[in-house]
Amino acid sequence: MNSDEKWIEEEIKWIGIYCSKMRRQALCVVAPSILGGTALLLGVLQLIGSENVEDFVNGVLGGFMIGALICGIYLLVLLPGLNPRRYGKKIDRSVRDLSLNEMEKEQLAQEMLAADEEHRISYVLQGPGSKGTPGRFVLTEHYALLEGSSPYAILIRLSDIAEIRRGEEKKMAEERRAKSKTVYWFTLYTIGFYRKDRFQRNLTQKDLPDEAFGFFRQDIRDQVMNLLAESGIWIE
């Protein structure tokens, strides 16, 4: 196994802890709750309607069958998305987006594997739609990687970057419940990366950054900025 494959396997192992936790929660908590809830609900409704124990049992059995159908659909949608190798492919895609040659890929993998804890920031996403997904920032001599965001993996080759800027954006999110919908605003704390070839691509400093990191928490954003300051890139 070469360094590139070893690095991807380590990334799969890291996100696999979260995937295993979510699978256990779905199979051991959510699914039994759905089965028990629908079975009890239909059983009670049948009992109220007829006050007959046999009808209660039939209601429970019917509710159990409906609950099993709901659970089947729920797990069919959820479980494929919790395959850790799916996340490994997303990291591999971020590497391909940089068009690295084999020597650069090997260098990237070795640097990521060798990164110490002082150059890693691990946290849990706490914001709209995050579902407690783990996030992690890793800084090496030549690269910066953010995992857990949207898209899942954002890989930056530091030698491409002329300037880094911090910023804030006001975003709107919706929180839906059974019979209601709440709309609220939140602040997304950002780090924008501006490449050296922007002028050749007819872009100015007023245009959107070439790449950007987003964080729900300002303190995490600031910790990442402090690490990026070690790269020697101009920070505004």
Side-chain angles (χ1 to χ4, degrees), residues 129-175:
S130 60
K131 299 178 181 178
T133 306
R136 181 165 67 173
F137 172 75
V138 183
L139 179 70
T140 72
E141 182 179 356
H142 300 98
Y143 298 93
L145 173 67
L146 184 69
E147 302 171 87
S149 57
S150 181
Y152 173 76
I154 303 174
L155 180 64
I156 306 293
R157 180 166 45 198
L158 298 176
S159 61
D160 293 339
I161 306 303
E163 184 180 349
I164 300 173
R165 295 183 190 176
R166 73 184 74 204
E168 297 180 9
E169 297 179 16
K170 290 293 183 181
K171 298 283 188 179
M172 186 174 66
E174 293 182 357
E175 183 177 331

Side-chain angles (χ1 to χ4, degrees), residues 171-185:
K171 298 283 188 179
M172 186 174 66
E174 293 182 357
E175 183 177 331
R176 294 181 178 274
R177 296 181 180 176
K179 294 183 179 180
S180 65
K181 180 178 73 172
T182 303
V183 178
Y184 62 96
W185 292 88

Side-chain angles (χ1 to χ4, degrees), residues 19-36 68 70-80 82:
C19 292
S20 296
K21 175 185 174 183
M22 295 303 292
R23 284 196 298 267
R24 285 196 302 270
Q25 181 176 318
L27 293 170
C28 300
V29 178
V30 179
S33 297
I34 293 174
L35 287 171
I70 295 172
C71 286
I73 296 172
Y74 166 71
L75 295 174
L76 189 64
V77 173
L78 178 70
L79 294 182
L82 291 176

Side-chain angles (χ1 to χ4, degrees), residues 63-133:
F64 185 85
M65 295 298 293
I66 294 173
L69 178 62
I70 295 172
C71 286
I73 296 172
Y74 166 71
L75 295 174
L76 189 64
V77 173
L78 178 70
L79 294 182
L82 291 176
N83 183 347
R85 296 206 167 274
R86 176 171 171 263
Y87 294 92
K89 290 180 180 178
K90 292 183 178 184
I91 294 175
D92 189 55
R93 189 179 304 122
S94 72
V95 175
R96 291 199 307 270
D97 288 342
L98 288 182
S99 301
L100 303 180
N101 58 40
E102 291 303 316
M103 186 178 299
E104 289 172 324
K105 288 180 181 179
E106 185 71 13
Q107 179 191 46
L108 165 64
Q110 289 178 359
E111 289 186 8
M112 289 294 170
L113 289 169
D116 57 32
E117 290 304 314
E118 293 183 356
H119 292 86
R120 297 175 184 265
I121 299 173
S122 298
Y123 57 98
V124 176
L125 274 69
Q126 297 175 333
S130 60
K131 299 178 181 178
T133 306

